[in-house]
Amino acid sequence: MTEPTTLTTTPGAALEAMRAARPLIHCITNFVAMNIAANTLLAAGASPAMIHTPEEAGEFARIAAALTVNIGTLSPLWVEGMKLAAEGANAAGRPWVLDPVAHYATAYRSRANAELLALSPTVIRGNASEIMVLGGETSATRGADAADPVAAAENAARSLALKQTCTVAVTGEIDFVTDGTRALRIHGGSALMPQVTALGCSLTCLVGAYAAVLPDAFEATVAALVHYAVAGENAAADADGPGSFGWRFLDALAALTPAELEARARVEAA
Amino acid sequence: MTEPTTLTTTPGAALEAMRAARPLIHCITNFVAMNIAANTLLAAGASPAMIHTPEEAGEFARIAAALTVNIGTLSPLWVEGMKLAAEGANAAGRPWVLDPVAHYATAYRSRANAELLALSPTVIRGNASEIMVLGGETSATRGADAADPVAAAENAARSLALKQTCTVAVTGEIDFVTDGTRALRIHGGSALMPQVTALGCSLTCLVGAYAAVLPDAFEATVAALVHYAVAGENAAADADGPGSFGWRFLDALAALTPAELEARARVEAA
Amino acid sequence: MTEPTTLTTTPGAALEAMRAARPLIHCITNFVAMNIAANTLLAAGASPAMIHTPEEAGEFARIAAALTVNIGTLSPLWVEGMKLAAEGANAAGRPWVLDPVAHYATAYRSRANAELLALSPTVIRGNASEIMVLGGETSATRGADAADPVAAAENAARSLALKQTCTVAVTGEIDFVTDGTRALRIHGGSALMPQVTALGCSLTCLVGAYAAVLPDAFEATVAALVHYAVAGENAAADADGPGSFGWRFLDALAALTPAELEARARVEAA
């Protein structure tokens, strides 16, 4: 059992370090998420760059501080760019985060995702359905929205983390993060979050921003999820629906101070 | 003349059924609309999935409950994906909706649109200029914004519906829906709506969500347009411009109850 | 030294003319900017159209009133479409604006940008880092966010304008515009603007809208930047962060009257 008190870098200290570094994050994400993911990184304190074509993706991954790859809206040119970028990040010793959006939905998507998994992502972030299927279990879901609770995916997350030697984050009502040995749950967020598209995809990019700065990918992932969870709570306090939640969430990501994050973090042993 | 009272499923009942089913809608839409279209579906109560590449578009259309195709930002790979998706939807007996954005603007665009029309969309939704040209009439417009009033497109809509054996919706200040035999006008919305990009494209996706649930495509289209029109009125009540309208509209789509929709619907015989 | 009083068309008169013409602007921009750029043009008073594929980009550039090209998210098909569109705009005598996003970041990007520069853009708009490198100087930046103050780029902007025989705009805390002979600085905006993604890209599109209407590209660029700067000040007055700034900015772009723009413009000789 991992006690939150064992974190070397607390979420508040991680936020301070991330903002001080303002890391350049190379994001290859889907067309739905492009704008909100960039705005999430800017609001949180990082610098996003969206670059996908094989002609430059590998070169740019060596320049950026971290890479994030999201398979939401695939096509062959993009898959090729994703693989070259992952290889570039690996060659340069940069962390990279994989977001296996609806990887089970079609044969093409499953194959692309398997090719990316073979390139050893530092972190995998998905919803419960996505992680359950990656961990060898079954799910009733068909599209990009989760059909399972996070708790149902904890075992799959642990196996996946051990098999891939990486950190796995399952996000949902209560988030779960594990590297196979350590494991924590993060409370917070809002029921409005699944009603706003691409917030999960944007979180993947934020995990990249923290992983660019903290040497421990497990702790970086926890810090990113805590930042998101507390900002989500703050945004929901005044929101009247998904539309007003959207912009309030960006305000909240930017307004959070390290001290508030420290005081508000709800991290639990798992 | 169709009397609104002849609707088998009223707009309120349709909203209730759509939310209960939470249909998975396969959207192939343009880069401008991607985010707002997904947010529109989530706010309204459906589950969006954006998948376009030929390698998986046909397969996924067979899984989803309905397909929507919008030709706003075309290229050969996307046109190929659109055609395979439409064929997949047809093979699986799923409804699909075509949004012929500015189909008259270039030769390439007209050809792509003609190929899609040949695949028998269940519903066509466009602005007055787009429908007039599809119905064999002329329009002064050049870009994606309508240059004609909806009323001027009613005849073209009727001919197009008969020729294509489908439902045709012309949206604008007062919407017009026909299947060639039946016809209704829907009042509501706001003058701010054309000042927010891709609201028409997003409405196309919402028509897909209702068509996934209601067996009668004409009634499904009417229900989607009523949902949009009343939400538009509600959003406009407190909006100060296109920016504040945008997020208030998402809040309004989510907040509307079947009872309020029933009470506020303004549907007129045409 | 250019005195603001020598402007043939004042910013207020330019706004009035642009809204009256409601010019159709052909935008080839990046995936992050697509939605906000279209909303910027609609709120300001122009009509956007996003069309990129080589099969139609050249044809459509001849129809539109101006073209804007932004190299943010490149790939070979898009670069080909950009070049054909620029050639189309040139052939039809239409102005076109180049936004050389992070052109220094990779070899592929530099080459694509050089090919576009060879097609003689009417206006180049970039941040300080982008213009410094184009003007033959060096910058410490790596990604898409500027790492240099605008003042450091003034000399590079002048050389670039003379070399390319075009207008160059460097935007940031205080904007700088020059055609090599004339030069002005524009004050205004808000520190929140760099925290919202793609506002620079959207400004590029707005420069296109003014250049479509005013015969003098230098004055058109000044007018677009003044419209942006005053709207930015107005939006910031009530914003609590980047999220609330985003939508307030669209409201402010739409609400500005020619008279307010005239009274509030802060243009300075340079």
Side-chain angles (χ1 to χ4, degrees), chain B residues 32 106 109 145 197 241 243-244, chain C residues 35 39 47 55-56 63 247 251:
Chain B
V32 180
T106 68
R109 184 165 290 268
D145 296 316
T197 196
S244 45
Chain C
N35 185 272
N39 273 330
S47 176
E55 287 79 4
E56 60 176 350
I63 296 167
W247 59 266
D251 280 2

Side-chain angles (χ1 to χ4, degrees), chain C:
Chain C
M1 195 168 93
T2 308
E3 288 299 334
T5 49
T6 63
L7 288 171
T8 313
T9 310
T10 62
L15 173 57
E16 197 157 17
M18 192 272 286
R19 286 204 181 128
R22 196 178 162 71
L24 176 63
I25 309 305
H26 180 185
C27 305
I28 307 184
T29 192
N30 64 73
F31 299 123
V32 180
M34 287 273 180
N35 185 272
I36 180 70
N39 273 330
T40 293
L41 286 181
L42 286 171
S47 176
M50 273 64 183
I51 283 187
H52 67 280
T53 201
E55 287 79 4
E56 60 176 350
E59 181 181 349
F60 193 72
R62 287 168 170 81
I63 296 167
L67 166 73
T68 70
V69 173
N70 173 300
I71 66 165
T73 50
L74 288 178
S75 61
L77 178 136
W78 284 69
V79 174
E80 189 56 25
M82 289 171 183
K83 291 194 285 186
L84 291 170
E87 286 166 3
N90 287 340
R94 302 292 200 285
W96 76 277
V97 187
L98 175 64
D99 188 336
V101 182
H103 61 88
Y104 42 71
T106 68
Y108 175 69
R109 184 165 288 268
S110 300
R111 214 159 43 235
N113 192 58
E115 290 171 4
L116 290 165
L117 279 175
L119 293 171
S120 303
T122 316
V123 182
I124 301 170
R125 190 218 62 84
N127 65 34
S129 304
E130 288 157 355
I131 300 300
M132 285 169 73
V133 179
L134 280 187
E137 302 179 10
T138 56
S139 162
T141 196
R142 304 151 301 155
D145 295 316
D148 306 279
V150 172
E154 292 196 358
N155 282 338
R158 287 184 202 264
S159 333
L160 181 62
L162 288 171
K163 188 178 157 201
Q164 287 276 149
T165 322
C166 73
T167 291
V168 174
V170 191
T171 60
E173 203 181 330
I174 300 168
D175 302 332
F176 177 76
V177 184
T178 183
D179 64 358
T181 310
R182 294 173 287 176
L184 289 171
R185 290 193 196 94
I186 292 116
H187 294 253
S190 155
L192 284 170
M193 294 178 87
Q195 286 186 46
V196 182
T197 198
L199 287 195
C201 310
S202 300
L203 174 50
T204 295
C205 297
L206 188 62
V207 170
Y210 277 92
V213 174
L214 267 61
D216 182 331
F218 173 80
E219 295 201 352
T221 305
V222 169
L225 269 49
V226 168
H227 191 169
Y228 231 59
V230 177
E233 285 181 342
N234 288 356
D238 294 310
D240 296 313
S244 45
F245 181 87
W247 59 266
R248 285 181 191 282
F249 182 61
L250 292 174
D251 280 2
L253 283 171
L256 263 182
T257 61
E260 186 182 356
L261 202 62
E262 209 69 21
R264 299 272 309 282
R266 289 192 285 141
V267 182
E268 172 194 55

Side-chain angles (χ1 to χ4, degrees), chain A residues 101-167:
Chain A
V101 182
H103 62 88
Y104 42 71
T106 68
Y108 175 69
R109 184 165 289 268
S110 300
R111 211 158 46 233
N113 191 57
E115 290 171 4
L116 290 165
L117 278 175
L119 293 170
S120 304
T122 315
V123 183
I124 301 171
R125 190 218 63 82
N127 64 35
S129 304
E130 287 156 355
I131 300 301
M132 285 170 73
V133 179
L134 280 188
E137 302 180 10
T138 56
S139 163
T141 196
R142 304 151 301 154
D145 295 316
D148 306 279
V150 172
E154 292 196 358
N155 283 338
R158 287 182 202 264
S159 336
L160 182 63
L162 289 171
K163 187 177 158 203
Q164 286 277 148
T165 324
C166 73
T167 292

